[in-house]
Amino acid sequence: KAVVSTQSTGGRDLNDLDPSVYAKSKKSMEESVRQQEVALLEAFVYHYTELLSEQRAGTRENVERRQARTADEVDDDEDEDVVEEDDDDEDVVPYNPKNLPLGWDGKPIPYWLYKLHGLNLYFNCEICGNFKYRGPKAFQRHFAEWRHAHGMRCLNIPNTAHFANVTLIEDARALWEKIRAEKNKEKFQKEYEEEFEDSHGNVVSRKVFNDLKRQGLL
C-alpha cells in the first residue's frame, strides 16, 4: 500500500478527510485533460491556417472583386462563360489542318509517325479501278484483299504471287502471256518427246518415225 505523508493531509487520517476533497481533485484532472485536447485542436487549426493561407487570400480577393463588379461587368462575364462552353463543344472535332489520320483516341496521330509510316504517299492501282492506297503498308496488303482479287478475276488472270506489285492492266496481261508460254514449253510434246524404235533398233522421235514410215523406209 502507498504511504501518504500525514503532513499533506494536515496530520489527519485519509479516512477522516471529506470526500468532496477527492471530487475536487478529480474535476481538476478532467479539466486539465480537456484543456490539453483544446490546445491540441487549436494547434492543428493554426497549422492548417498557415498551409492554406494563399488559398484563403485568393478566395477572399476573388469574392471582393466579384462583389465590386458593376452590372455591365457581370453581363460580360456571363458572355465569356457562354463562349467557353461553345469552345468545349467545338473541341469535340479535333483540329486537324494537315488531314492526318486519327488514332485510337480519336485525335490526329503525331506528324513524325505520319511520315514514318509513309502515310503522305499514295499508290494508285489500275487493276482495282484506279483506287488509291495511302501508305506502302496498305498498298502491299491490298494485293491479297478482295478488291484486287476481283479485278484480276475480271481479267481472267489468277491472282498469284507472280503478280505481286503489278498494278497496270497491260503489265498484268503481258506477264500472264509470258507465264502461259513458259508453261506450254514445259508440257509433254508427243511430236518431239515421244520415242519409237525401228526394226534396226534405232531410237527416233515420233515425228521422225512417222516421216520414215511414210517414205517406206521402215
Side-chain angles (χ1 to χ4, degrees), residues 14 29 86 98 129 134 136:
L14 294 176
M29 292 178 61
D86 294 339
K98 295 184 178 180
R134 191 173 192 175

Side-chain angles (χ1 to χ4, degrees), residues 53-67:
S53 59
E54 295 183 3
Q55 288 79 357
R56 291 172 58 249
T59 302
R60 185 185 301 107
E61 182 181 352
N62 185 35
V63 172
E64 292 175 353
R65 181 180 61 82
R66 287 181 174 272
Q67 291 176 347

Side-chain angles (χ1 to χ4, degrees), residues 65-77:
R65 181 180 61 82
R66 287 181 174 272
Q67 291 176 347
R69 289 182 306 174
T70 62
D72 294 335
E73 291 176 346
V74 172
D75 294 337
D76 293 339
D77 289 344

